[in-house]
Amino acid sequence: MYDSTLYHMKKLLSNIYLQKRFFIVLTILVLGFLLSYMVPNIFGAVKLLFYVFALIFLVDIILVFASKGGITGHRSVPEKLSNGDENEINISLSNSYLFPVGLKILDEVPHQFQKRDFGIYTTLGKGKEKRFNYYLRPTERGVYSFGNLNVFANSPIGFISKKYIFGNEQQVPVYPSFLQLRKYDLMAFTNKLFEYGLKKIRRIGHTMEFEQIKDYVLGDDIRNINWKATAKKGGLMVNQYQDEKSQPIYSIIDKGRVMKMPFDGLSLLDYAINATLVISHIALKKHDKAGMFAFAKKIENRVVAERRSSQMNLILETLYNLETNFAESDYSRLYADIKRNITHRSLLLLYTNFETLDALQRQLPYLQAIAKQHLLVVIFFENTELIKFTDEKAETIQQIFEKTIAEKFVYEKKLIVNELRKYGIQTILTKPEHLTINTINKYLEIKARGLI
């Protein structure tokens, strides 16, 4: 009996958390007792206030710990989080106390976020339920572990709070940015590209597949008029075309040392992974075959270009499991693998990075050889930090020197573009945050021009 009582007392004390208001009132009383040594007449009043304080403190304990009701709650986390995007996390709380409570919510978010100041402060009325949400932006793929949901509840008196622990520890995988699929899904099938700052694409010639003959309507291209069908029908008839289908589209991800550079929390490799997921989805929607592989010292993470229903899930899982130690990339092995395994002419979207013209010159023979057999698009990145630095005003000789070097590196990127185009290799030089948009635009441009 004694041990049981002692256990409950320890449990009660361990759940009592003194609030700021308690210490403020206690400090005032201590100062009052000190002052009563110099002014003895106020000692009785201070002593009375102390007893009132002790009584209210006891009432507060009874309200929070002994009265009917309590706090219930749970956290709702998506089955998987999207890398580089704001993911919504929901918390639901219910108050069954007979009075409104003040709440302090401390959620144990995964250590990868390093959120030391997380806290939600609110009030919840008697018998009410409330839903809270906050957002997390992961910057690494992998498994993230959520800890306990801790809720501290206090009565309107506010001297103490009671800790509630909802032990719904969860492990959630962080996948490549699947939220971008929804953002860009319709973009490839509408005329709203200009809203994203993209150029409009004019279809050139008739390098598309014939679809049907239909009645002429205002706005149809008069060059598509079918004169034989017009004479037979007695009214204007036009040929309707559609993009060629079932063309192999491969995303090739360089997972070597040059892709380790971080921008806005994400590495260039993660930007490439996110763009690969989106462009594969759009290619499949356009009835092309989507595939991918990655390379560094060797070729890995291969998904053969197909149009099957499970292709997107296969690509998503492959991108999720893509790992690297950022070794030096072997372009000779890349060329040999493409020549051996990709026999049909395909669109190859190569995500890599070149910082200097010399770095390109070492790999240029392999890129030229690949471009002879396939339509190669080399996609690499602007150094946005250097560009930002060149826009700053230089005031000292040291700053002038540093700015001159930065401008040289920025200019060298443009030389790399010209060098690749000189050999007929398509290029995209893009800011990391615009990678997905620019890649989609290039793919649609190539389709419209019938280059593959």
Side-chain angles (χ1 to χ4, degrees):
M1 182 70 178
Y2 174 78
D3 291 340
S4 177
T5 304
L6 186 61
Y7 169 76
H8 287 295
M9 284 296 295
K10 286 183 178 179
K11 187 175 180 181
L12 175 65
L13 291 173
S14 66
N15 283 327
I16 292 179
Y17 289 82
L18 301 176
Q19 299 291 91
K20 184 178 180 181
R21 187 177 299 177
F22 170 86
F23 292 105
I24 292 174
V25 175
L26 185 62
T27 302
I28 293 172
L29 288 172
V30 170
L31 292 175
F33 279 118
L34 292 175
L35 186 62
S36 66
Y37 278 100
M38 294 177 286
V39 187
N41 293 336
I42 68 170
F43 178 75
V46 175
K47 186 176 179 181
L48 178 61
L49 288 175
F50 175 78
Y51 287 135
V52 172
F53 167 69
L55 180 62
I56 295 175
F57 181 71
L58 182 61
V59 171
D60 200 9
I61 292 177
I62 293 172
L63 284 175
V64 175
F65 287 90
S67 64
K68 183 180 178 181
I71 301 295
T72 57
H74 70 276
R75 179 207 307 120
S76 298
V77 181
E79 291 184 2
K80 53 190 176 185
L81 302 180
S82 180
N83 193 26
D85 298 315
E86 296 289 345
N87 296 265
E88 185 177 10
I89 312 298
N90 294 302
I91 295 174
S92 298
L93 295 177
S94 176
N95 175 23
S96 59
Y97 279 115
L98 299 177
F99 50 86
V101 296
L103 297 176
K104 177 182 178 183
I105 305 168
L106 298 179
D107 197 2
E108 296 177 4
V109 299
H111 68 86
Q112 289 93 335
F113 295 106
Q114 293 296 300
K115 290 180 74 71
R116 310 291 186 183
D117 57 347
F118 183 92
I120 299 174
Y121 301 86
T122 186
T123 57
L124 190 57
K126 178 180 68 174
K128 300 291 185 179
E129 294 184 8
K130 205 168 185 179
R131 188 183 181 98
F132 310 88
N133 59 58
Y134 64 93
Y135 294 87
L136 294 176
R137 180 179 181 265
T139 56
E140 297 177 4
R141 288 168 292 117
V143 178
Y144 285 48
S145 297
F146 285 82
N148 292 325
L149 175 62
N150 305 288
V151 179
F152 298 84
N154 61 269
S155 73
I157 296 174
F159 282 165
I160 64 165
S161 64
K162 180 179 179 180
K163 181 180 180 181
Y164 290 88
I165 299 177
F166 303 105
N168 52 343
E169 297 182 4
Q170 295 171 272
Q171 289 192 332
V172 183
V174 174
Y175 275 77
S177 182
F178 55 84
L179 291 181
Q180 288 191 24
L181 297 183
R182 304 169 192 170
K183 179 179 177 181
Y184 298 118
D185 196 11
L186 295 177
M187 196 175 82
F189 306 97
T190 66
N191 293 321
K192 295 184 178 181
L193 294 174
F194 63 90
E195 294 181 4
Y196 294 85
L198 305 179
K199 60 184 179 182
K200 292 184 177 180
I201 299 169
R202 181 169 61 91
R203 297 186 181 276
I204 300 174
H206 296 294
T207 57
M208 298 168 286
E209 293 180 352
F210 173 79
E211 185 177 14
Q212 64 175 344
I213 300 173
K214 70 178 188 69
D215 293 324
Y216 174 84
V217 296
L218 188 64
D220 284 338
D221 191 343
I222 60 174
R223 293 175 299 176
N224 293 337
I225 294 176
N226 187 320
W227 295 108
K228 288 184 178 180
T230 297
K232 188 180 295 185
K233 184 78 180 289
L236 283 176
M237 305 293 290
V238 294
N239 295 331
Q240 183 171 322
Y241 298 89
Q242 62 180 0
D243 292 335
E244 294 183 20
K245 299 179 180 179
S246 298
Q247 297 168 316
I249 313 296
Y250 278 95
S251 296
I252 306 171
I253 302 174
D254 182 351
K255 57 180 185 179
R257 174 182 55 81
V258 295
M259 299 293 280
K260 192 175 183 179
M261 190 179 296
F263 288 94
D264 195 22
L266 292 176
S267 68
L268 295 182
L269 177 63
D270 282 313
Y271 281 107
I273 287 172
N274 292 343
T276 295
L277 184 66
V278 175
I279 198 66
S280 299
H281 177 69
I282 290 178
L284 291 170
K285 287 277 190 176
K286 300 284 279 185
H287 305 287
D288 282 332
K289 299 176 181 178
M292 61 148 293
F293 57 91
F295 77 102
K297 287 185 175 180
K298 57 183 180 179
I299 310 301
E300 296 176 306
N301 309 101
R302 188 190 306 275
V303 177
V304 178
E306 297 287 351
R307 260 194 63 198
R308 54 192 171 191
S309 58
S310 61
Q311 190 74 352
M312 270 309 299
N313 187 59
L314 182 59
I315 291 174
L316 179 61
E317 291 296 333
T318 303
L319 291 172
Y320 171 71
N321 292 311
L322 193 151
E323 296 180 356
T324 179
N325 57 3
F326 295 104
E328 198 69 33
S329 300
D330 189 343
Y331 277 77
S332 63
R333 189 180 293 270
L334 173 65
Y335 164 67
D337 186 271
I338 291 174
K339 186 175 183 180
R340 183 170 57 252
N341 293 303
I342 305 179
T343 55
H344 297 286
R345 178 173 168 81
S346 305
L347 171 60
L348 306 181
L349 302 170
L350 173 60
Y351 300 93
T352 185
N353 198 36
F354 296 109
E355 288 295 328
T356 64
L357 197 57
D358 288 339
L360 171 68
Q361 294 294 348
R362 290 194 294 270
Q363 314 302 344
L364 190 57
Y366 303 112
L367 298 177
Q368 287 179 260
I370 294 171
K372 288 180 181 178
Q373 302 295 326
H374 305 279
L375 179 59
L376 176 63
V377 180
V378 176
I379 305 167
F380 62 111
F381 300 88
E382 294 179 1
N383 193 322
T384 53
E385 296 299 321
L386 278 183
I387 293 174
K388 191 185 301 182
F389 181 74
T390 59
D391 292 336
E392 295 177 359
K393 186 178 180 180
E395 297 179 349
T396 65
I397 295 177
Q398 178 70 19
Q399 289 174 343
I400 293 172
F401 175 76
E402 291 173 348
K403 186 175 179 179
T404 303
I405 297 299
E407 288 174 347
K408 175 182 179 298
F409 278 108
V410 171
Y411 178 67
E412 198 151 357
K413 290 273 188 177
K414 298 176 182 177
L415 293 179
I416 293 171
V417 172
N418 292 334
E419 188 71 10
L420 287 167
R421 288 177 178 170
K422 186 169 71 175
Y423 293 100
I425 299 173
Q426 300 270 342
T427 60
I428 300 176
L429 175 60
T430 177
K431 295 178 180 178
E433 62 268 27
H434 296 158
L435 172 63
T436 302
I437 292 175
N438 291 334
T439 304
I440 293 171
N441 195 47
K442 174 60 74 171
Y443 165 70
L444 296 177
E445 177 189 347
I446 289 170
K447 292 286 289 182
R449 294 173 62 190
L451 297 180
I452 55 171

